Amino acid sequence: MSFSLPRNVPNLNNPQRGLEDGYWGSSGISRIQNGHTGNGIGGKLDAFFDKRQLPMYKDKPYNYPASKKNQGWYLRRRIFVAAILGLLGLAFWFGIYSTVHKVAPVGSSGAALWSWASTPESSKVDWNDRRQKVKEAFVASWDGYEKHAWGYDEYHPISKKGTQMTPKGMGWIIVDALDTLMIMNLTSRLSHAREWISTSLDYDQDHNVNTFETTIRMLGGLLSAHYLSTNFPDMAPVADSARGTPGEDLYLEKAADLADRILGAFDSDSGVPYASINLKDIKGIPSHVDGGASSTAEAASLQLELKYIAMLTGEKNYWEKAERVIQVIDDNGMEDGLLPIFIYPDTGHFRGSVIRLGSRGDSYYEYLIKQYLQTSKQEPIYLELWNQALAGIQKHLVAYTTHSHFTIIGERPNGLESPLSPKMDHLVCFMPGTMALAATNGLTVEQAKKLGGWGKKEDDEMTLAIELTKTCWGMYKVMATGLAPEISFFEIEDPPHMQADGILASAEINNEEDAPWRADYTIKHQDSHNLQRPETVESLFYMWRITGNEMYREWGWDIFSSFVKYTATEDGAGFTSLSNANEIPPKMKDNMESFWLAETLKYLYLLFSPVDLLPLDSIVINTEAHILPRFELSRGLTTGWKRKPRDSQGNMIRDEKREEGAGTKDQTGGAKGKDASKKDVVTKTTKEVKTVQVIATRANANEEEKPSSP
């Protein structure tokens, strides 16, 4: 269910979150404003509204609004709907219905498989056994889906049914999980998935889908399956390139068909892709919220996939479309490499001034360093962009908490000169692992130091990665279930102690209920849900591989154990997200995210695996955890753009005369002249479209604007 909220520009403390939050549930303010507890009418109505379907966006928050074209006749009868909702609210108040699912006790009939989660462990750790338990969780999840919702895009493991996002389905769960099936060597299940793709998957559908989610999940999933099946034959029963086999080059052919359709989203005046694409017409569709702007993370997180398929096929068009987006973004010359979270496809200029590494901003930064690594460090322009952005993050966003000096990455909701907000989406927890990857290029710290060139910069970046990982771990430890909330707020000084003021050592995180470190975390009721997100275990995987510290494996095991203990469905049909992870027993959502299979369980499996399984210095992993190879530039592919001149501080040197004379548009899309209003005067009328409401996810967070990568 979506809520139509006023589109204004309030301050951060206002009940309306900010310009970018106009269409998202406020993370700081509950929808139930009467102060009732979960047992009162507020809780009853909260439970009712929580029944709404989760959005499938990785980089948008919980409550992402559906396309208006899909919302149906009842929107034209709002009074009638309001009356019905009122009656339903009374029904819930009197307990006629119940939407709150309580988790089954571990060890009950359906959950016997997970009885080990409540059994004291041996003092001797067997990582192979732990890896096997992750595999068992994947098998239970996959088998439940295969039995109850095969071929459907969404799976609801409590009601045991599936739903489609398009008329014929997108293969959302099947394609997203292909490479996990291969890595876990689940050959019979993989054969069934390949058969379905060969006989049932058809992208020629008259339906609008999200450009970003379709690229990272579907295109990324197919390309990863092609790479693994052709380069690691032990992982797949049939290699994608095996001649004479049914469906020869199946994954690559499906990927090329989908990529050709996705390219239609890039047919804007600036080259920045539209938020959605019609798969049949191959036409880009502007966002029907946010003034038609695309989110920055979505527009700038398509490059790994399109560059790899360009290398495979020799089609330069994929490559050129992908890198053009980064050039347009960089030509805006934003201060210290930090970008607002919305960008207009028609002008290539930014909308608003919200700066954050959570939803709508996150994977832009991730893909800078990964593009550099993907082409075997032959495109130094992306390393330059990463270094500038990382320095900007350290300067403007990294701060320390009041009591225990935990390191956080905050937000600047009104630009870099505005006060720091101590809000941190779980989505931000991708960052420490990415920092460590950038510092060593995928080698261990020991190996990287032996190569030479290691200095204070790299030491400071690894220290930052270590401390941020600890902060993310604390998000789990502070919760009753041991599972992180979607968003955390932190206690900071006013003004805050920033990294530039000196690096602070943090306190230890322990299990004491009244431990002082807990005072630094504030978890608001509206943010207490857990959507099975992968970002923290993603960073644990990178930190283990790069530092060799087994502490990160132990933290991962604790997280996995909590997932098993509190999110397994009663009859073993799968695992579900939680509407409130801060109470026991927790309230269960009837939804299993595709990235639970594609990312969370994959990273946990790799965390407990030998380090020579998919070594980091030979691969890059996209923002949906799909495995892609590093390769060298060839087939005429090369960096096709250069940065505009910068001064010694990294600021773009602008041609003031030309800009004044042309009356160029500013970053909000409005006219930039002496008498031009600073107010965003851009108005857009966007065609009502039937856009797929994909499940919100590594769009993480649930803001009424989302905030988040499977």
Side-chain angles (χ1 to χ4, degrees), residues 278-324:
N278 184 282
L279 291 174
K280 189 174 185 66
D281 295 342
I282 314 181
K283 291 182 179 179
I285 310 295
S287 172
H288 35 279
V289 293
D290 308 316
S294 299
S295 84
T296 303
E298 292 188 350
S301 303
L302 315 170
Q303 285 65 30
L304 295 180
E305 299 80 6
L306 291 176
K307 284 185 169 184
Y308 180 43
I309 197 169
M311 191 278 291
L312 288 173
T313 64
E315 295 290 339
K316 293 184 180 180
N317 196 32
Y318 301 131
W319 186 282
E320 292 166 352
K321 295 282 189 183
E323 69 174 5
R324 169 64 180 164

Side-chain angles (χ1 to χ4, degrees), residues 323-351:
E323 69 174 5
R324 169 64 180 164
V325 178
I326 308 302
Q327 179 182 9
V328 170
I329 285 174
D330 192 53
D331 283 352
N332 280 273
M334 302 309 295
E335 182 180 353
D336 292 333
L338 301 182
L339 311 182
I341 60 173
F342 293 103
I343 186 168
Y344 289 113
D346 54 351
T347 67
H349 296 302
F350 290 105
R351 169 187 172 95

Side-chain angles (χ1 to χ4, degrees), residues 549-586:
N549 190 336
E550 287 210 352
M551 170 183 70
Y552 298 116
R553 301 178 102 182
E554 292 291 351
W555 290 358
W557 177 249
D558 282 354
I559 291 172
F560 174 66
S561 298
S562 293
F563 273 124
V564 167
K565 189 172 183 178
Y566 294 111
T567 73
T569 59
E570 183 174 357
D571 53 4
F575 294 78
T576 181
S577 51
L578 303 177
S579 63
N580 188 344
N582 208 22
E583 62 180 21
I584 296 177

Side-chain angles (χ1 to χ4, degrees), residues 499-539:
Q499 181 173 322
D501 300 321
I503 297 175
L504 299 179
S506 61
E508 291 302 312
I509 294 176
N510 56 39
N511 294 323
E512 296 176 9
E513 292 187 4
D514 58 350
W517 67 265
R518 295 178 181 272
D520 278 339
Y521 288 82
T522 298
I523 311 302
K524 301 183 179 181
H525 173 73
Q526 194 72 4
D527 305 327
S528 63
H529 52 284
N530 179 281
L531 301 183
Q532 305 172 298
R533 289 198 184 277
E535 288 75 26
T536 295
V537 294
E538 172 185 351
S539 282

Side-chain angles (χ1 to χ4, degrees), residues 36-55:
H36 297 287
T37 66
N39 295 324
I41 188 170
K44 295 286 186 178
L45 291 176
D46 192 27
F48 165 69
F49 286 118
D50 272 348
K51 191 175 181 179
R52 61 192 177 279
Q53 183 172 304
L54 292 178

Side-chain angles (χ1 to χ4, degrees), residues 50-294:
D50 272 348
K51 191 175 181 179
R52 61 192 177 279
Q53 183 172 304
L54 292 178
M56 279 187 95
Y57 283 94
K58 177 183 187 63
D59 192 49
K60 293 188 180 63
Y62 182 69
N63 292 345
Y64 187 69
S67 163
K68 294 180 181 179
K69 191 171 181 179
N70 282 339
Q71 288 174 342
W73 63 270
Y74 50 83
L75 282 185
R76 298 190 296 271
R77 295 165 173 78
R78 297 190 180 187
I79 295 177
F80 175 75
V81 171
I84 293 297
L85 289 178
L87 291 173
L88 287 173
L90 289 174
F92 275 82
W93 167 240
F94 288 108
I96 296 175
Y97 304 106
S98 176
T99 62
V100 176
H101 306 281
K102 296 296 185 179
V103 67
V106 173
S108 63
S109 58
L113 181 62
W114 317 118
S115 59
W116 56 262
S118 297
T119 303
E121 284 192 281
S122 167
S123 58
K124 183 177 180 181
V125 174
D126 184 340
W127 291 109
N128 286 330
D129 179 67
R130 289 183 171 185
R131 180 173 73 155
Q132 180 63 27
K133 285 183 169 58
V134 174
K135 185 174 181 178
E136 290 170 359
F138 179 93
V139 168
S141 302
W142 179 268
D143 287 357
Y145 166 72
E146 191 174 38
K147 179 178 180 180
H148 302 294
W150 182 247
Y152 284 92
D153 294 321
E154 300 170 307
Y155 176 44
H156 311 291
I158 296 175
S159 57
K160 300 184 185 61
K161 64 181 181 181
T163 53
Q164 295 288 33
M165 302 185 319
T166 66
K168 294 185 287 185
M170 291 278 288
W172 207 252
I173 292 176
I174 294 173
V175 174
D176 215 10
L178 281 173
D179 55 358
T180 310
L181 288 165
M182 293 179 181
I183 291 168
M184 293 184 179
N185 201 27
L186 296 170
T187 56
S188 62
R189 293 169 178 84
L190 177 62
S191 294
H192 190 197
R194 182 182 173 93
E195 178 187 12
W196 184 89
I197 292 170
S198 177
T199 59
S200 301
L201 183 57
D202 180 11
Y203 290 122
D204 189 26
Q205 302 184 53
D206 185 12
H207 210 89
N208 302 335
V209 298
N210 179 268
T211 305
F212 165 74
E213 297 291 347
T214 302
T215 300
I216 65 168
R217 301 197 199 201
M218 299 298 93
L219 183 58
L222 290 165
L223 291 173
S224 181
H226 171 78
Y227 167 62
L228 293 180
S229 68
T230 53
N231 289 272
F232 300 89
D234 291 342
M235 290 186 179
V238 179
D240 198 28
S241 59
R243 293 190 176 185
T245 58
E248 179 183 341
D249 290 329
L250 172 66
Y251 304 132
L252 183 56
E253 288 180 1
K254 290 291 185 182
D257 174 50
L258 181 57
D260 287 342
R261 298 174 190 277
I262 289 171
L263 284 189
F266 292 79
D267 290 338
S268 66
D269 290 341
S270 71
V272 171
Y274 291 108
S276 299
I277 180 71
N278 184 282
L279 291 174
K280 189 174 185 66
D281 295 342
I282 314 181
K283 291 182 179 179
I285 310 295
S287 172
H288 35 279
V289 293
D290 308 316
S294 299

